[in-house]
């Protein structure tokens, strides 16, 4: 429970950081707005022409008697839209981070410099095209994992009672875990921490990750909220990444001669970052 609260505090600290750095916040909004417009266009298209697409894909139902063909195609249209909406929520962060890679790299570096006792921000040393390739490759792997969970949870949603109570809660925590992976990847990739090691780090501190990611996942269900929280989420994830790697952090980025404080250490046996 202690880590659960710590994870939520990182989310709040990230929002406070961007509130104090208005210019970084403004630039951080651009990728989210672009992604929101793209996703909204796709969902509107599905709402308008989804039924036509389902009708085209199910010619075998043309000869069914009424009302079975309509009910069957209506059900498939609803499933198509629901799965698309779920996929949009799960992939929103990945696509936004990919579109906004330069923006969020810059924001994350500023957070690192602000809170590091020596004012240093780790750098990957890789060219931009290489960073974009690694980010896209890892994002696809995470989206594939999240999609499998999404299909499983969607199927479980038809179980009476459990599907309407337990499954939505589990879905928020699962989505929160993958959101946190995507967000912490901005800072961890600059430290040359590979995907497998990142996942191991997050699994070793699940309650910390859930405390950060679950509230964010719930908020991201509202697209406009996701756009405005995204810059602060990247900032908070950078702070949490420093915790996961046991790096010294100046609390709230305060300057001066104040002694640096060390955030809680991961449990013994936690994996160390690797290339």
């Amino acid at each position: 429970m202690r880590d659960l609260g710590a994870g939520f505090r990182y989310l709040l600290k990230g929002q406070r950081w961007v509130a104090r750095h208005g210019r970084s916040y403004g630039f951080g909004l651009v990728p989210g707005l672009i992604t929101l417009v793209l996703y909204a266009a796709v969902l509107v298209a599905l709402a308008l022409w989804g039924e036509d697409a389902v009708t085209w894909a199910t010619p075998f139902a043309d000869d069914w008697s009424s009302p079975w063909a309509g009910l069957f195609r209506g059900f498939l249209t609803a499933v198509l839209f629901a799965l698309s909406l779920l996929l949009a929520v799960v992939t929103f962060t990945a696509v936004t981070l990919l579109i906004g890679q330069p923006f969020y790299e810059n924001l994350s570096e500023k957070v690192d410099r602000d809170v590091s006792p020596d004012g240093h921000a780790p750098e990957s040393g890789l060219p931009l095209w290489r960073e974009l390739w690694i980010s896209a490759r890892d994002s696809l792997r995470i989206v594939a994992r999240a999609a499998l969970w999404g299909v499983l949870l969607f199927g479980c949603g038809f179980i009476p009672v459990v599907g309407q109570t337990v499954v939505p809660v589990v879905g928020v925590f699962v989505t929160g875990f993958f959101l946190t992976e995507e967000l912490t990847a901005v800072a961890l990739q600059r430290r040359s921490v590979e995907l497998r090691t990142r996942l191991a780090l997050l699994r070793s501190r699940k309650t910390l990750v859930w405390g950060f990611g679950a509230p964010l996942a719930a908020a991201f269900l509202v697209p406009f909220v996701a756009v405005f929280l995204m810059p602060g989420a990247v900032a908070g994830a950078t702070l949490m990444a420093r915790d996961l790697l046991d790096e010294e952090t100046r609390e709230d980025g305060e300057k001066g001669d104040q002694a640096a404080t060390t955030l809680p250490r991961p449990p013994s046996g936690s994996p160390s970052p690797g290339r």
Side-chain angles (χ1 to χ4, degrees), residues 54 105 124 194 223-224 247 269:
V54 169
E105 283 281 353
S124 66
E194 293 185 349
F224 286 105
E247 295 179 354

Side-chain angles (χ1 to χ4, degrees), residues 2-268:
R2 190 176 185 181
D3 261 359
L4 201 65
F8 185 65
R9 283 194 295 274
Y10 281 124
L11 183 59
L12 296 180
K13 286 179 181 179
Q15 301 304 323
R16 285 202 299 266
W17 191 93
V18 294
R20 295 198 307 267
H21 300 78
R23 191 167 185 173
S24 296
Y25 178 67
F27 280 114
L29 290 176
V30 174
L33 290 171
I34 294 173
T35 308
L36 179 64
V37 170
L38 292 174
Y39 275 43
V42 172
L43 290 174
V44 168
L46 275 175
L48 293 175
W49 297 294
E51 187 174 356
D52 293 337
V54 169
T55 300
W56 171 82
T58 57
F60 56 85
D62 289 342
D63 298 327
W64 290 10
S65 60
S66 180
W68 302 114
L71 289 174
F72 175 70
R73 285 168 171 167
F75 172 75
L76 288 183
T77 302
V79 169
L80 176 64
F81 190 82
L83 284 175
S84 300
L85 189 59
L86 175 63
L87 191 61
V89 172
V90 171
T91 61
F92 183 89
T93 301
V95 174
T96 303
L97 289 174
L98 186 61
I99 292 174
Q101 180 79 8
F103 294 89
Y104 296 133
E105 283 281 353
N106 182 264
L107 190 154
S108 180
E109 286 181 14
K110 286 181 178 178
V111 173
D112 267 325
R113 291 194 189 97
D114 195 39
V115 302
S116 175
D118 59 4
H120 172 70
E123 297 180 4
S124 66
L126 298 174
L128 179 60
W129 71 268
R130 178 66 176 168
E131 290 182 348
L132 288 173
W133 162 249
I134 293 173
S135 179
R137 180 197 64 190
D138 290 350
S139 292
L140 283 175
R141 292 174 178 174
I142 290 300
V143 168
R145 287 177 167 88
L148 289 174
W149 273 97
V151 171
L152 176 63
L153 291 171
F154 183 80
C156 291
F158 292 99
I159 301 174
V161 182
V162 173
Q164 293 73 49
T165 54
V166 177
V167 171
V169 175
V170 173
V172 168
F173 279 88
V174 170
T175 304
F177 181 90
F178 288 118
L179 282 177
T180 304
E181 195 290 324
E182 290 285 356
L183 292 164
T184 53
V186 177
L188 294 176
Q189 282 178 359
R190 284 192 290 107
R191 292 160 167 84
S192 300
V193 182
E194 293 185 349
L195 177 60
R196 183 175 298 179
T197 305
R198 295 202 304 267
L199 289 172
L201 281 168
L202 295 175
R203 288 174 185 138
S204 72
R205 303 286 298 279
K206 285 191 184 74
T207 51
L208 180 73
V209 171
W210 288 335
F212 181 90
L216 197 61
F220 273 25
L221 292 172
V222 184
F224 286 105
V225 174
V227 171
F228 291 107
L229 289 184
M230 193 67 175
V234 172
T238 300
L239 295 172
M240 192 169 73
R242 298 179 66 88
D243 182 350
L244 292 169
L245 298 178
D246 196 25
E247 295 179 354
E248 284 189 319
T249 298
R250 183 189 296 110
E251 192 67 26
D252 292 329
E254 294 175 0
K255 306 296 183 183
D257 298 327
Q258 178 182 354
T261 59
T262 303
L263 292 174
R265 295 176 177 272
S268 58

